[in-house]
């Protein structure tokens, strides 16, 4: 059976199971949906969570951002989504586009050979210390934030919220969503933390005011 036929079979069975159109259960929504904190406290909460998750956090302005990126990236070849503003980047950076000479997106092997990636972000939840990428032009496709070993993520302060419901309201749920809480990490059988197993070993977060 082909993959297409298998998918059609599964969907047909789901449709058959739902033929009597059972009513959706009522789900209580009595959890907090709106923050009561002032925004400065929310940003401090996010910074505290990210540092606890072993990310490096910096506070910059549009004027100081290029200098910070120069310091973080050094001479690394860096893949940068087309939507990232040129004004963010320091002069002389080797900006690699996510398209190779044949017009195709970079392969996983090509991305792995690069030193770093710079992306923006859609929204960040302070309560959980989670940054959301939503595949926008200034974030690129999901592979960009998973394959390179070093991810520099720019988080504008006006995109920081306290609660998950607030974050979900800012997400386009029709597009891929990547959630980041610190550098990729896991623990081996001896409970030793190992970083870089499923994504970037190093995460630098720039809070942009």
């Amino acid at each position: 059976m082909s993959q297409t036929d298998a998918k059609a079979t599964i969907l047909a069975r789901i449709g058959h199971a739902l033929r009597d159109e059972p009513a959706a259960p009522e789900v209580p929504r009595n959890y907090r949906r709106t923050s009561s904190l002032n925004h400065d406290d929310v940003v401090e909460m996010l910074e505290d969570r990210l540092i606890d998750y072993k990310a490096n956090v910096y506070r910059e302005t549009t004027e100081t951002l290029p200098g910070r990126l120069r310091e973080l990236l050094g001479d690394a070849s860096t893949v940068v989504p087309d939507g990232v503003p040129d004004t963010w980047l320091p002069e002389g950076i080797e900006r690699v586009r996510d398209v190779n000479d044949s017009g195709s997106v970079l392969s996983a092997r090509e991305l792995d050979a690069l030193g770093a990636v710079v992306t923006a972000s859609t929204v960040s939840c302070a309560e959980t210390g989670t940054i959301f990428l939503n595949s926008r032009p200034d974030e690129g496709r999901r592979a960009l934030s998973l394959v390179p070993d070093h991810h520099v993520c720019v988080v504008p302060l006006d995109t920081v919220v306290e609660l998950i419901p607030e974050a979900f309201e800012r997400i386009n749920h029709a597009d891929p969503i990547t959630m980041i809480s610190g550098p990729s990490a896991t623990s081996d059988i001896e409970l030793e933390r190992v970083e870089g197993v499923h994504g970037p070993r190093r995460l630098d977060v720039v809070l942009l005011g």
Side-chain angles (χ1 to χ4, degrees), residues 22-174:
E26 289 291 332
V27 178
R29 305 289 184 182
N30 52 8
Y31 48 82
R32 286 196 304 149
R33 301 175 66 86
T34 305
S35 174
S36 59
L37 298 179
N38 68 61
H39 192 252
D40 288 343
D41 289 339
V42 173
V43 173
E44 288 185 10
M45 181 189 299
L46 175 66
E47 183 174 9
D48 179 71
R49 298 287 196 276
L50 289 170
I51 291 173
D52 191 51
Y53 295 155
K54 310 302 182 185
N56 304 307
V57 182
Y58 308 89
R59 296 209 186 200
E60 304 296 338
T61 66
T62 53
E63 290 78 17
T64 64
L65 177 59
R68 176 61 69 182
L69 293 185
R70 165 63 68 195
E71 176 185 323
L72 296 176
L73 297 172
D75 297 326
S77 297
T78 304
V79 60
V80 183
D82 287 342
V84 170
D86 289 332
T87 54
W88 284 10
L89 304 175
E91 293 184 6
I93 186 175
E94 185 180 351
R95 177 174 183 164
V96 179
R97 296 181 63 242
D98 184 27
V99 180
N100 58 28
D101 294 337
S102 64
S104 302
V105 296
L106 300 178
S107 67
R109 187 180 298 275
E110 289 172 316
L111 287 175
D112 189 50
L114 297 173
V117 59
V118 174
T119 73
S121 55
T122 298
V123 64
S124 296
C125 174
E127 185 177 47
T128 61
T130 305
I131 300 169
F132 291 74
L133 307 187
N134 205 186
S135 304
R136 301 185 315 179
D138 56 1
E139 298 162 357
R141 58 193 174 101
R142 178 174 288 167
L144 298 190
S145 61
L146 293 178
V147 179
D149 200 45
H150 179 196
H151 182 190
V152 179
C153 186
V154 178
V155 175
L157 293 187
D158 61 3
T159 67
V160 179
V161 298
E162 181 192 359
L163 306 173
I164 284 289
E166 294 176 306
F168 274 23
E169 289 180 357
R170 300 195 184 196
I171 293 293
N172 178 0
H173 296 271

Side-chain angles (χ1 to χ4, degrees), residues 1-15:
M1 179 182 294
S2 69
Q3 186 176 14
T4 301
D5 291 339
K7 180 178 180 180
T9 299
I10 292 171
L11 292 176
R13 290 177 178 174
I14 293 173

